[in-house]
Amino acid sequence: MEKKSFTFDEIKLKLVNYCVYQDRCHAEVEQKMREFLLIDEAKEEIMLYLMKENYLNEERFARSYIRGKFYIKHWGKTKIKIHLKQKQISDKLISICFDEIHEDDYEKTIRKIYQDYYDKQSGLKEYQRKAKTIKYLISRGFEYEKIIDNFGNA
């Protein structure tokens, strides 16, 4: 299949639209740029333009990602952090942006997911239900210490 060639300005516009559609991180934009045969200087110029015009903002991306994954998908901080690291977001920025999750919301979510999952476990002994539920919460990215703090004596 023949690749369609675009002018520098067309590529720049495509990448602006890519960033406008939803917040993106640098790694996603760099990945998208690989679709176009660009020399390094052109890639650099586009990246600088996107950052200067605020189409590309790593902190805004991280904050939006954290809010979405927690408040919509109900992921825990561990899972969110792993996924952000895969997108090459720095530990420092991740830590700063975790203030998007309010501590009381976090604990309420842990309690709700725990209770919902626990109630679905039937035909098991008490300790098995509890162990299975804790394991489930850990798989959702919640920290063992937080789970135990909330359900140490559940």
Side-chain angles (χ1 to χ4, degrees):
M1 194 169 96
E2 197 179 316
K3 273 202 164 185
K4 186 173 177 349
S5 61
F6 297 99
T7 67
F8 177 78
D9 288 332
E10 287 172 333
I11 294 171
K12 194 159 119 180
L13 184 62
K14 281 184 174 297
L15 289 164
V16 163
N17 290 333
Y18 181 67
C19 293
V20 166
Y21 179 72
Q22 79 179 42
D23 282 326
R24 308 283 181 181
C25 66
H26 289 50
E28 290 171 332
V29 173
E30 284 166 16
Q31 178 65 44
K32 186 75 172 167
M33 271 196 226
R34 287 189 200 107
E35 293 175 15
F36 308 106
L37 302 171
L38 287 166
I39 58 171
D40 289 341
E41 288 82 3
K43 287 179 184 175
E44 227 171 89
E45 189 179 322
I46 290 174
M47 286 297 273
L48 287 171
Y49 172 78
L50 293 173
M51 288 186 287
K52 187 171 71 77
E53 298 298 322
N54 208 20
Y55 291 116
L56 186 59
N57 181 319
E58 202 99 292
E59 182 176 344
R60 184 179 63 215
F61 167 78
R63 288 182 179 282
S64 144
Y65 189 90
I66 288 169
R67 278 192 312 271
K69 296 302 179 195
F70 176 69
Y71 287 103
I72 296 167
K73 296 236 181 209
H74 306 296
W75 286 7
K77 289 181 180 178
T78 306
K79 186 171 183 174
I80 294 171
K81 184 174 186 171
I82 290 167
H83 281 257
L84 283 171
K85 287 189 76 62
Q86 287 172 342
K87 294 182 178 292
Q88 297 164 14
I89 306 295
S90 71
D91 282 331
K92 187 178 179 195
L93 186 58
I94 294 170
S95 299
I96 291 168
C97 295
F98 265 133
D99 66 2
E100 288 296 316
I101 299 175
H102 302 291
E103 203 52 46
D104 52 335
D105 290 345
Y106 198 68
E107 290 186 7
K108 258 186 244 165
T109 301
I110 290 174
R111 285 194 293 273
K112 180 167 179 14
I113 294 172
Y114 184 98
Q115 205 53 59
D116 291 350
Y117 194 82
Y118 184 85
D119 292 344
K120 286 181 195 165
Q121 308 307 310
S122 58
L124 297 171
K125 292 185 173 73
E126 176 68 23
Y127 75 90
Q128 291 172 315
R129 287 173 79 185
K130 188 175 178 181
K132 206 169 174 180
T133 304
I134 289 171
K135 200 170 173 182
Y136 175 71
L137 277 165
I138 290 170
S139 78
R140 296 288 301 262
F142 292 96
E143 306 88 325
Y144 180 74
E145 297 73 32
K146 285 274 185 200
I147 299 165
I148 295 308
D149 286 350
N150 281 285
F151 296 99
N153 54 11

